[in-house]
């Protein structure tokens, strides 16, 4: 009796990897070099198997044919290839800077009835935008008097679904003080569910920061939290993303980057502002054309 032959993973050659990496870069701005080869191959093989393609050429052809179809294989591939790892109150010092420095500066130039817009991108599974909401509730008394719109976006639609659901494992809350866990979360099977009031307070949306058409819809934002995204881009994509975020901001608006990122090395459009709690980047009040 012959033994069954074990199924083999679809093969991806060096040329296939290069062709895919170039295509994915042009669509998302994310760079995959040879150091990410194993990561990319495994996820590509999984998508090929799940879509019934034994050969890379057949899969890639189908991908190209439907890459602009909403919710199609391109979106599934983006979801598979993006890495989302975060937790509540990450880099909390920037939230302090928001409340103690950025918001007072913005309010000094805004009318009492004008809405302040704060945008978290990438939002991943929601820890950052929900952290912003909690921090404002806890530390900014003027929240009761001002109109504030909290926006949250990501390229990964599966992460956005998780964010809207608001259910988190204990490890995501490890930096959140216990009184805040008790106040804003309910224990249930599978983890900790954030309060429905907060889930309803944030507008989640799918956005590709490197897609010019997608970004044109975003304007009049006062503060952007764009932390630990640009490190995945090359120089060209970083500049394009910086320009898109510049256009999205109101004159005088601010952008907060991750601690390992520096806008000064990416674009000269922004002014460096050093506050007691953080270094941030401001769109000039008299914004210059680019």
């Amino acid at each position: 009796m012959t033994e069954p032959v074990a199924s083999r993973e679809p093969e991806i050659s060096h040329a296939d990897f290069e062709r895919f990496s170039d295509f994915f870069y042009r669509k998302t701005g994310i760079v995959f070099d040879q150091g990410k080869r194993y990561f990319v191959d495994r996820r590509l093989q999984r998508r090929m198997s799940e879509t019934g393609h034994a050969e890379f050429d057949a899969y890639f052809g189908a991908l190209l044919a439907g890459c602009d179809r909403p919710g199609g294989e391109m979106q599934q591939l983006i979801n598979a290839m993006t890495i989302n790892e975060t937790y509540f109150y990450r880099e909390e010092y920037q939230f302090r800077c928001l409340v103690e420095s950025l918001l007072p500066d913005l309010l000094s130039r805004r009318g009492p009835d004008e809405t302040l817009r704060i945008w978290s991108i990438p939002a991943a599974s929601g820890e950052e935008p929900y952290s912003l909401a909690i921090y404002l509730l806890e530390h900014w008394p003027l929240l009761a008097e001002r109109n504030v719109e909290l926006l949250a976006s990501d390229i990964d639609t599966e992460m956005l679904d998780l964010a809207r659901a608001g259910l988190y494992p204990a490890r995501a809350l490890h930096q959140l003080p216990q009184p805040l866990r008790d106040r804003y979360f309910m224990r249930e099977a599978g983890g900790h569910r954030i309060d429905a009031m907060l889930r309803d307070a944030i507008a989640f949306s799918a956005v590709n920061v490197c897609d010019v058409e997608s970004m044109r819809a975003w304007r009049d934002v006062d503060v952007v939290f764009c932390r630990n995204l640009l490190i995945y881009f090359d120089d060209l994509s970083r500049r394009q993303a910086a320009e898109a975020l510049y256009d999205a901001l109101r004159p005088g608006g601010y952008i907060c980057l991750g601690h390992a990122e520096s806008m000064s090395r990416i674009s000269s459009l922004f002014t460096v502002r050093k506050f007691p709690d953080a270094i941030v980047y401001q769109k000039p009040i008299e914004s210059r054309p680019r």
Side-chain angles (χ1 to χ4, degrees), residues 193-213:
R193 181 87 64 181
I194 198 162
D195 189 272
M197 173 194 68
L198 293 178
R199 298 202 304 273
D200 293 340
I202 297 171
F204 290 98
S205 61
V207 174
N208 178 355
V209 74
C210 287
D211 180 11
V212 175
E213 292 301 319

Side-chain angles (χ1 to χ4, degrees), residues 18-279:
E18 293 292 333
R19 188 158 45 131
F20 169 76
S21 298
D22 178 67
F23 166 78
F24 199 77
Y25 165 73
R26 286 185 281 107
K27 285 293 183 181
T28 67
I30 298 173
V31 177
F32 289 136
D33 57 23
Q34 285 293 329
K36 298 284 180 65
R37 177 71 191 270
Y38 179 78
F39 168 87
V40 172
D41 281 7
R42 294 294 294 172
R43 280 156 181 76
L44 263 180
Q45 288 165 341
R46 186 182 309 155
R47 290 308 310 158
M48 289 169 65
S49 296
E50 290 178 358
T51 55
H53 292 92
E55 302 292 335
F56 175 82
D57 283 348
Y59 172 77
F60 195 61
L63 181 65
L64 293 175
C67 66
D68 294 324
R69 189 180 305 129
E73 177 56 21
M74 185 66 208
Q75 184 62 63
Q76 298 302 315
L77 188 60
I78 287 172
N79 294 351
M81 290 291 178
T82 48
I83 304 169
N84 299 280
E85 183 179 357
T86 185
Y87 48 85
F88 283 87
Y89 269 35
R90 185 176 186 177
E91 298 176 7
E92 181 189 348
Y93 63 89
Q94 289 189 335
F95 302 152
R96 285 198 306 274
C97 183
L98 171 70
V99 166
E100 297 181 13
S101 300
L102 306 189
L103 290 177
D105 178 63
L106 290 166
L107 290 182
S108 71
R109 293 181 269 107
R110 304 291 296 280
D113 296 326
E114 290 187 82
T115 298
L116 292 168
R117 306 182 82 207
I118 302 172
W119 189 18
S120 169
I121 179 172
S125 47
E127 288 88 340
E128 179 175 276
Y130 286 134
S131 292
L132 282 165
I134 291 171
Y135 202 89
L136 290 173
L137 284 166
E138 292 292 317
H139 299 283
W140 196 46
L142 289 178
L143 184 62
E145 305 171 16
R146 305 295 305 216
N147 296 319
V148 178
E149 188 175 357
L150 292 177
L151 312 168
S153 303
D154 202 278
I155 195 173
D156 187 332
T157 55
E158 290 181 358
M159 285 294 108
L160 290 171
D161 287 342
L162 291 175
R164 293 185 184 100
L167 181 64
Y168 298 96
R171 67 177 181 276
L173 280 65
H174 75 276
Q175 291 226 137
L176 201 63
Q178 189 62 50
L180 299 186
R181 299 187 205 182
D182 296 338
R183 193 171 302 146
Y184 295 108
F185 292 83
M186 290 289 293
R187 284 180 176 270
E188 61 178 72
H192 300 73
R193 181 87 64 181
I194 198 162
D195 189 272
M197 173 194 68
L198 293 178
R199 298 202 304 273
D200 293 340
I202 297 171
F204 290 98
S205 61
V207 174
N208 178 355
V209 74
C210 287
D211 180 11
V212 175
E213 292 301 319
S214 175
M215 289 297 291
R216 282 198 179 115
W218 295 88
R219 293 294 184 268
D220 299 327
V221 177
D222 293 286
V223 183
V224 175
F225 280 79
C226 183
R227 306 193 293 183
N228 305 311
L229 171 66
L230 302 181
I231 55 176
Y232 296 105
F233 294 170
D234 68 354
D235 291 342
L236 176 60
S237 295
R238 288 189 191 105
R239 285 196 300 273
Q240 291 173 336
E243 290 172 0
L245 293 170
Y246 178 90
D247 290 340
L249 283 168
R250 290 180 187 266
Y254 293 95
I255 183 168
C256 302
L257 300 181
H259 71 276
E261 299 169 306
S262 171
M263 187 63 77
S264 302
R265 295 196 293 267
I266 300 171
S267 172
S268 61
L269 290 170
F270 295 86
T271 300
V272 180
R273 297 293 306 274
K274 296 181 179 180
F275 293 105
D277 292 299
I279 295 174

